[in-house]
């Protein structure tokens, strides 16, 4: 449910779905779906500086600190900012607080898929036939968050075989998803709004991002992360 | 003695010498003396990102936070890093904690000179015949620091006419300089070492910068700052 709960070693060679619903992975999916060439997740603002300098004026700087856009950056971290007009054929250097940490944590994995409600069915399809996979939730500042674990539960629900062998965390996310679904299937927005990440976004007056992040299967793509090649639809 | 003690309005149209002995103005002087084309002082790391991206791979990223070099940056903030090999014909994007704040505070001035012990005589010469000038000390995190006010006193000592009209702060810096000189003229290094900025540098294990900053008249140039053109030897 957070990067701290799993070792880098445990993810080595594995298939990992990285999730930061509000908002990093949602935004990456929207960006690549809108025609961005590549998203480069970097941990720190200085590292973003260095990479943006190297890539040159054609790249875009995106990201947040404390949820808010950074002074002088081209884009913040709202999915709706990543429009075709903005991002087509552009490389995007992105620095976010939690999502980047989760991606870097998974950099020894055999394959890293970028997941969010935006591409739920496409990720489930990509995982079909996998014997084993991990869902790595970004969380918020080291704490588990409902918006990510709710997605993990939704993905379990789509992927599971008749007799799955689930970790305790996975069982918990699946129960949470089923419980939520039995109460009010339609109101994913409401569920995200009361999550830790959702409350943060309301506090900084960006509630529209919650509605965007709740759109299921808006995109048909499954971006993948490679530690030397960034996040792209195809590293071939 | 700090930017907070003078309003932007009071500096508007004036001649201002900006001083951050440890280390921003010392490093800028060394850099331009070593052949750098221009130094761009920017307040924040994200703004440095944006400018470096715009300037492209040929520019250099320099600066510090908490006195330490920034991960991924080309250079820190030690004068000795700005060698001809590193900086000739390069634009340098520099973000430092205190020096940048002081420069931006003076951006409405008629002319802004970059001063340090490294160019003491050259600055004094450039001020010759001025009826009025301000010395704006960067200080450290809003507090006055001896290394800057000692330089201000040294400059007063060089520039003053027979019957000067000094502000209280200026009188104090001049007294401090005379008092220090009467005790131990040779040991500027020692005086800088016990200053607030000097103690910080010792704590982060960069004492060599103190010795470099104490070299008087190493350079013959007087860089000038223009808010749209950065710091350069000649804005013509």
């Amino acid at each position: 449910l957070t990067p701290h709960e799993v070792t880098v070693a445990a993810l080595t060679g594995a298939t990992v779905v990285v999730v930061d619903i509000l908002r990093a992975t949602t935004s990456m999916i929207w960006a690549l779906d809108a025609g961005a060439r590549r998203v480069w997740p970097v941990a720190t603002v200085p590292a973003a500086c260095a990479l943006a300098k190297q890539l040159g004026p054609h790249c875009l700087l995106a990201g947040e600190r404390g949820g808010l856009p950074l002074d002088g950056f081209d884009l913040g971290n709202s999915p709706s900012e990543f429009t075709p007009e903005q991002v087509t054929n552009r490389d995007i250097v992105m620095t976010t607080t939690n999502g980047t940490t989760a991606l870097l944590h998974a950099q020894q994995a055999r394959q890293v898929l970028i997941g969010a409600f935006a591409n739920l069915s496409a990720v489930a399809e990509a995982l079909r036939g996998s014997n084993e996979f991990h869902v790595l939730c970004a969380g918020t500042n080291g704490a588990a968050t409902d918006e990510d674990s709710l997605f993990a539960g939704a993905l379990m629900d789509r992927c599971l075989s008749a007799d799955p062998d689930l970790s305790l965390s996975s069982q918990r996310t699946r129960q949470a998803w089923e419980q939520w679904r039995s109460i009010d299937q339609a109101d994913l927005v409401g569920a995200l709004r009361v999550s830790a990440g959702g409350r943060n976004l309301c506090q900084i007056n960006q509630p529209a991002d919650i509605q965007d992040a709740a759109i299921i299967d808006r995109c048909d793509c499954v971006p993948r992360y490679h530690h030397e090649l960034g996040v792209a639809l195809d590293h071939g």
Side-chain angles (χ1 to χ4, degrees), chain A:
Chain A
L1 300 182
T2 70
H4 303 295
E5 293 171 37
V6 61
T7 62
V8 169
L11 300 177
T12 300
T15 294
V16 180
V17 181
V18 171
V19 184
D20 184 5
I21 296 294
L22 298 172
R23 301 162 283 173
T25 58
T26 302
S27 291
M28 287 177 188
I29 294 160
W30 283 49
L32 291 160
D33 188 65
R37 213 173 71 87
R38 215 171 274 275
V39 178
W40 299 94
V42 288
T44 68
V45 176
C49 271
L51 182 57
K53 187 187 95 168
Q54 190 187 320
L55 294 173
H58 193 66
C59 81
L60 294 170
L61 274 163
E64 52 77 23
R65 282 296 176 274
L68 297 171
L70 290 157
D71 163 43
F73 273 40
D74 302 294
L75 300 165
N77 190 30
S78 295
S80 59
E81 294 180 87
F82 298 84
T83 60
E85 294 69 35
Q86 287 282 359
V87 306
T88 299
N89 288 325
R90 306 288 283 266
D91 278 39
I92 301 169
V93 177
M94 184 183 278
T95 180
T96 71
T97 318
N98 304 299
T100 306
T101 306
L103 282 169
L104 297 177
H105 201 73
Q107 67 182 252
Q108 312 262 19
R110 188 171 60 79
Q111 54 175 345
V112 180
L113 282 56
I114 307 297
F117 289 108
N119 68 348
L120 173 61
S121 295
V123 171
E125 179 63 28
L127 291 171
R128 195 204 289 263
S130 294
N131 282 326
E132 185 179 349
F133 63 87
H134 298 257
V135 182
L136 180 59
C137 296
T140 296
N141 304 325
T145 45
D146 288 341
E147 72 272 22
D148 293 342
S149 53
L150 204 56
F151 171 83
L155 191 60
M156 302 290 159
D157 190 60
R158 299 278 185 114
C159 292
L160 292 181
S161 58
D163 184 20
D165 182 13
L166 290 178
S167 71
L168 275 175
S169 297
S170 295
Q171 291 174 33
R172 223 178 301 149
T173 65
R174 195 186 181 193
Q175 286 159 6
W177 171 257
E178 283 172 357
Q179 193 173 17
W180 167 77
R181 205 166 48 163
S182 70
I183 297 169
D184 187 0
Q185 167 124 27
D187 193 19
L188 182 55
V189 175
L192 296 187
R193 196 179 287 129
V194 298
S195 70
R199 287 196 306 267
N200 286 342
L201 285 174
C202 289
Q203 267 177 3
I204 61 173
N205 204 23
Q206 307 208 1
D209 291 354
I210 299 170
Q211 295 191 297
D212 288 338
I215 304 172
I216 294 178
D217 291 339
R218 180 182 186 276
C219 309
D220 193 35
C221 62
V222 182
R224 284 159 202 265
Y225 167 68
H226 181 283
H227 68 285
E228 284 174 357
L229 302 172
V231 177
L233 297 185
D234 182 7
H235 284 123

